[in-house]
Amino acid sequence: MAASSTVPPASLLRQAYLRQSTAFCPGCGHGIFMNAFLRAAAALPLDFDRTVFVSGIGCGAWVPSPHFLADTLHVTHGRAMAFAAGVQRARPDLNIVVISGDGDLATIGGNHLIHAARRQTPIKVFCLNNWLFGMTGGQVSATTPREARTATTPAGNPDPPFDLVRLVLGAGAPFAARWPVSLPRQLARGIEHALREPGFAFVEVLSICPTHFGRINEPLFPAGEAPQSIPWRMLEWLRRQCIEREKAAALSPEERAGKILIGEWRGEECWP
């Protein structure tokens, strides 16, 4: 992949890389990720003619398929990593990118994810974590925060969630990162860094689902003095909760409590 170049305006990016406009719910964070990904793709540049995008089932899986003007595999639920590994074995000359959600990659397909990390299969993986199964009705997933309400845990999730960065690093991933959609410029740079990695690279993208998570957990996202929509309150909450790992190192354990560490980690480093 060549060095970064000037990124064209969003309208030209959509014209160059997309087949159609999106069908995401109003306020969905996945649209922010899509724009950030296209900015990173243009900056590299990433050759869409030599890239295969693989996704499973769910709202996150809809980012590449049917939207990206490239070859896409939209496969069975939880099997995106398995199909991507097969494509990589058959065509190691191509760029293989997986984009899917936490329900698909970390819950139903969690076993495939950890073994791809263990084998360090040269695939770039972007997991859009909106804390539940969005497209199928808002069921609990492996990343739903403890005590958060979902369609299948109406009294609150009793189980602890996966920390996806810890999970893949512990399995052997050489590179992992976490960025929120509330920081789109940092997210775009993080995507670009991951796409430049020569081997397996994993990025957890903290997205938002106002439709299924925000409405049922509205008390978690308090409004300010002026009226604010649920999507805006969720983005503001992400901005407050996320802190770059380097800045967090200077805080006391009490000050770090409840914060979400963001940034990039190498496999040889300690877990975040």
Side-chain angles (χ1 to χ4, degrees):
M1 296 172 184
S4 296
S5 58
T6 303
V7 176
S11 58
L12 294 182
L13 286 177
R14 289 192 287 270
Q15 183 178 343
Y17 291 113
L18 298 185
R19 298 180 192 276
Q20 62 183 68
S21 57
T22 72
F24 296 130
C25 298
C28 175
H30 293 1
I32 301 174
F33 167 78
M34 179 185 288
N35 280 332
F37 189 92
L38 296 184
R39 291 183 66 83
L44 282 170
L46 177 67
D47 185 355
F48 268 33
D49 288 337
R50 298 195 60 77
T51 301
V52 177
F53 292 93
V54 185
S55 60
I57 299 297
C59 299
W62 273 57
V63 170
S65 173
H67 297 108
F68 283 1
L69 193 57
D71 289 327
T72 61
L73 282 176
H74 203 149
V75 304
T76 45
H77 212 168
R79 302 296 177 258
M81 294 302 302
F83 277 82
V87 175
Q88 195 281 325
R89 294 290 178 93
R91 292 296 304 271
D93 56 311
L94 299 178
N95 305 310
I96 313 298
V97 178
V98 172
I99 300 176
S100 220
D102 53 291
D104 188 72
L105 284 174
T107 310
I108 294 178
N111 202 40
H112 298 294
L113 175 64
I114 60 174
H115 286 291
R118 175 179 64 84
R119 295 177 178 131
Q120 301 187 4
T121 307
I123 298 171
K124 313 300 177 274
V125 186
F126 298 89
C127 181
L128 277 60
N129 180 9
N130 58 7
W131 305 317
L132 43 60
F133 285 85
M135 195 184 74
T136 53
Q139 298 89 348
V140 69
S141 82
T143 63
T144 302
R146 181 175 270 172
E147 299 183 1
R149 298 174 63 203
T150 70
T152 48
T153 58
N157 177 26
D159 300 316
F162 270 146
D163 181 323
L164 296 182
V165 170
R166 284 176 179 252
L167 180 70
V168 298
L169 288 177
F175 177 91
R178 179 188 293 123
W179 298 105
V181 295
S182 57
L183 299 172
R185 292 184 184 277
Q186 290 92 328
L187 173 61
R189 284 198 297 271
I191 294 169
E192 185 179 339
H193 292 172
L195 290 173
R196 289 184 185 280
E197 287 294 312
F200 180 89
F202 175 86
V203 179
E204 178 186 7
V205 179
L206 299 175
S207 190
I208 60 171
C209 178
T211 300
H212 288 298
F213 192 91
R215 288 192 296 196
I216 198 172
N217 291 288
E218 190 172 351
L220 297 177
F221 311 105
E225 294 182 359
Q228 295 173 323
S229 66
I230 292 177
W232 183 262
R233 287 153 55 185
M234 295 180 79
L235 289 172
E236 285 295 308
W237 182 88
L238 269 180
R239 288 194 188 98
R240 291 194 301 272
Q241 295 305 117
C242 290
I243 182 170
E244 294 190 24
R245 53 178 298 206
E246 294 82 4
K247 295 179 181 177
L251 302 180
S252 67
E254 293 76 17
E255 292 171 319
R256 286 201 304 269
K259 295 292 185 182
I260 302 171
L261 298 187
I262 58 175
E264 298 174 352
W265 288 265
R266 295 284 171 184
E268 65 270 19
E269 296 178 296
C270 295
W271 288 358

